[in-house]
Amino acid sequence: MTATPSPRMLARASSVLEIDLEAVAANWRALAALVGGPSRCAAVVKADAYGLGAAFVAPALLRAGCERFFVATIAEGTALRRVLKDAEIAVLNGPVASAVPFKAARLVPVLNDLAQLAFWRRFAKGEHRAMLHIDTGMNRLGLPPGELDRLAAEPGLLDGVPLAAILSHLACAEEPDNPINEAQRADFLAALARLPKAPASLAGSSGIYLGPAYHFDFARPGAALYGVNPVPGRPNPMRSVVRLKARILQVRDVDRDRSVGYGAAHRMAHTGRIATIAAGYADGWLRSGSHRGTVGIAGKRAPIVGRISMDLMTVDVSEIDPRAATPGAFADLIDETYGVDEAAAAAGTIGYEILTGIGRRALRIYRGGPG
Ligand SMILES: *Cc1c(COP(=O)(O)O)cnc(C)c1O
C-alpha cells in the first residue's frame, strides 16, 4: 500500500483504485457544517474506512478538523491509534474479554449491555471513559428497554464510569417518511432524560439529512464521507471519492448464437465483439451484477454479458469504437458518472457493500493526501 505508485507499477496494474482524500475531507466538512461545526461531527472509519484504507483516510479527516473516530473492533482501534496520536477512538462492538488493549491504545469502548457496563466498571475505577449505547429499535447492539429500566432504577451501576457519550442508532434513516425515525428519536430523548448528562449522538450519514432534531450533540457519518448517497432517490450531495478501473485484456469477434462464459449463460444475439476485463468477484465486482451492470469505455456504456467470474468479466463492446475498446486500455468500473450507488444497484446491493468489498488486488492511488 503506497500513496503514489511508480509509473512502472501503474503500467503493470490490472486494476487501479483511486481514492480522493481531498473529496473525503470536503465531504466531512460539508456534513460538519450541516450539524453545526467540526466538534459536532465524528467520523466512522470502521472496516478500514469502508475498504478505502483507514491509515490514509483518518489522517486526512484529522487534518480537516475531525476529533472523534469510530471503529468496529478492538483490532481496528489499536491499528488506528498508530496513525492518530491523540484523537478520540471509540470501539462500537465494545469490550471483549479484556480491557488491556483499551488501556494500551487509549480506546473508548461503546458499552452495549449491562454485562459490558459491569465489566468496564470493575476496570475503569473512575478513570476510563466509555460510551453507552441505548437500543431504540435495531435489536442489534445497545441496552434493550429492560436493561435501560434497570439502569434507570439503579444509577449506581454507572458509578466509576465517566460517560464520553450516549448513543443510539437509526434503523431507517435513509427513508425520511418512515415513522420509525420519529419513534426512535422520541425513545432516545426519553432514555436521555433517565440517564446522567452526557453528549448524545443519534445520526449517521442519512440521519443528518433528517434535520436538526436528529443532530443532538454530535453525528457519526460513515458512508457519506466516502461518496455513498445519504439521500437515496435524490441527487447525491456528496463528492465522489473512488474511481475504479480495470484493464481490457482481450477483444474478440464472436459469432451470432455462440455463448460467452461459464454456464454458456449468455448467447450472442448478433455477431459482435466481446472484451474481457481484468476484474471479477475476487475484486469485489459482485457476481450478482452478471448480465446487469455496465462499464464505461471512452465515455460510453458497455453491458456486462455472461457471468462475472473470479478474475474476469466479459462486456459487449460491439457499439464501442474499436480504437477505445482495445487490449491494454482501461474500462471504468466506478467514476463520477457511474458511482458506487449505480454499481450497487446493478448488483442488487448497496454502495456500502460495494465499497467494503473492493478487493486488495487493485493498485491503490491516494490523491489529495500529504506529500
Ligand atoms: C456504521 C455505523 C455508523 C455510520 O453509518 P453510515 O450510514 O455509514 O453513516 C454510525 N453509527 C453506528 C452505530 C454504526 O454502526
Side-chain angles (χ1 to χ4, degrees):
M1 195 154 69
T2 50
T4 40
S6 68
R8 186 189 292 167
M9 285 165 80
L10 195 55
R12 288 177 183 166
S14 281
S15 53
V16 177
L17 177 67
E18 291 178 18
I19 297 156
D20 185 346
L21 296 175
E22 178 45 41
V24 175
N27 286 338
W28 181 84
R29 283 191 297 263
L31 295 173
L34 275 181
V35 299
S39 67
R40 300 169 64 87
C41 196
V44 180
V45 294
K46 61 193 179 189
D48 203 21
Y50 291 49
L52 301 187
F56 293 94
V57 166
L61 289 167
L62 185 77
R63 285 193 301 279
C66 185
E67 299 162 355
R68 184 183 269 144
F69 295 80
F70 283 86
V71 293
T73 70
I74 299 165
E76 289 174 357
T78 303
L80 189 60
R81 178 55 76 206
R82 290 190 206 110
V83 293
L84 297 180
K85 278 204 184 64
D86 299 317
E88 181 170 285
I89 301 174
V91 178
L92 288 164
N93 289 1
V96 182
S98 162
V100 169
F102 286 88
K103 195 174 176 188
R106 288 169 288 123
L107 308 176
V108 177
V110 176
L111 305 176
N112 291 299
D113 57 32
L114 288 183
Q116 287 189 343
L117 172 58
F119 168 82
W120 194 256
R121 197 178 154 212
R122 281 194 300 278
F123 161 76
K125 302 198 171 67
E127 290 182 11
H128 300 286
R129 302 181 321 142
M131 298 188 185
L132 192 64
H133 184 174
I134 306 297
D135 181 28
T136 54
M138 283 288 279
N139 280 306
R140 187 179 70 162
L141 284 178
L143 272 66
E147 292 202 354
L148 174 64
D149 290 343
R150 229 192 102 196
L151 184 57
E154 290 178 60
L157 295 176
L158 274 168
D159 282 352
V161 179
L163 280 185
I166 300 174
L167 319 178
S168 192
H169 194 49
L170 294 166
C172 308
E174 74 287 358
E175 302 169 22
D177 298 329
N178 196 317
I180 289 176
N181 293 322
E182 201 43 39
Q184 286 197 264
R185 192 178 80 85
D187 283 355
F188 188 47
L189 280 169
L192 293 174
R194 303 169 75 190
L195 292 168
K197 246 191 129 29
S201 174
L202 180 61
S205 298
S206 295
I208 291 173
Y209 287 86
L210 294 176
Y214 287 80
H215 295 170
F216 291 87
D217 294 300
F218 68 93
R220 317 181 299 272
L225 301 175
Y226 313 114
V228 172
N229 187 357
V231 287
R234 288 164 33 204
N236 190 348
M238 312 320 297
R239 264 175 65 178
S240 116
V241 169
V242 299
R243 288 184 65 107
L244 178 64
K245 50 191 186 173
R247 196 85 74 178
I248 299 174
L249 299 175
Q250 278 198 351
V251 180
R252 66 181 62 222
D253 297 316
V254 183
D255 289 340
R256 184 171 170 224
D257 286 337
R258 303 298 294 186
S259 67
V260 179
Y262 282 122
H266 176 75
R267 200 160 289 279
M268 298 293 285
H270 53 83
T271 296
R273 275 178 305 118
I274 296 293
T276 301
I277 294 174
Y281 57 76
D283 303 286
W285 204 244
L286 300 177
R287 189 169 176 276
S288 52
S290 302
H291 314 292
R292 293 173 63 185
T294 62
V295 305
I297 299 174
K300 284 185 97 176
R301 306 303 307 176
I304 299 170
V305 296
R307 291 187 189 152
I308 294 170
S309 51
M310 188 181 292
D311 318 304
L312 302 168
M313 69 173 141
T314 38
V315 305
D316 189 327
V317 292
S318 305
E319 305 298 320
I320 309 277
D321 183 343
R323 285 166 302 181
T326 187
F330 278 111
D332 297 311
L333 275 50
I334 297 173
D335 61 15
E336 296 78 26
T337 54
Y338 190 86
V340 285
D341 295 298
E342 284 78 11
T349 184
I350 55 176
Y352 295 64
E353 194 177 23
I354 294 293
L355 282 180
T356 54
I358 293 175
R360 294 270 132 194
R361 250 191 324 207
L363 178 70
R364 287 170 174 234
I365 302 177
Y366 289 90
R367 303 208 183 280

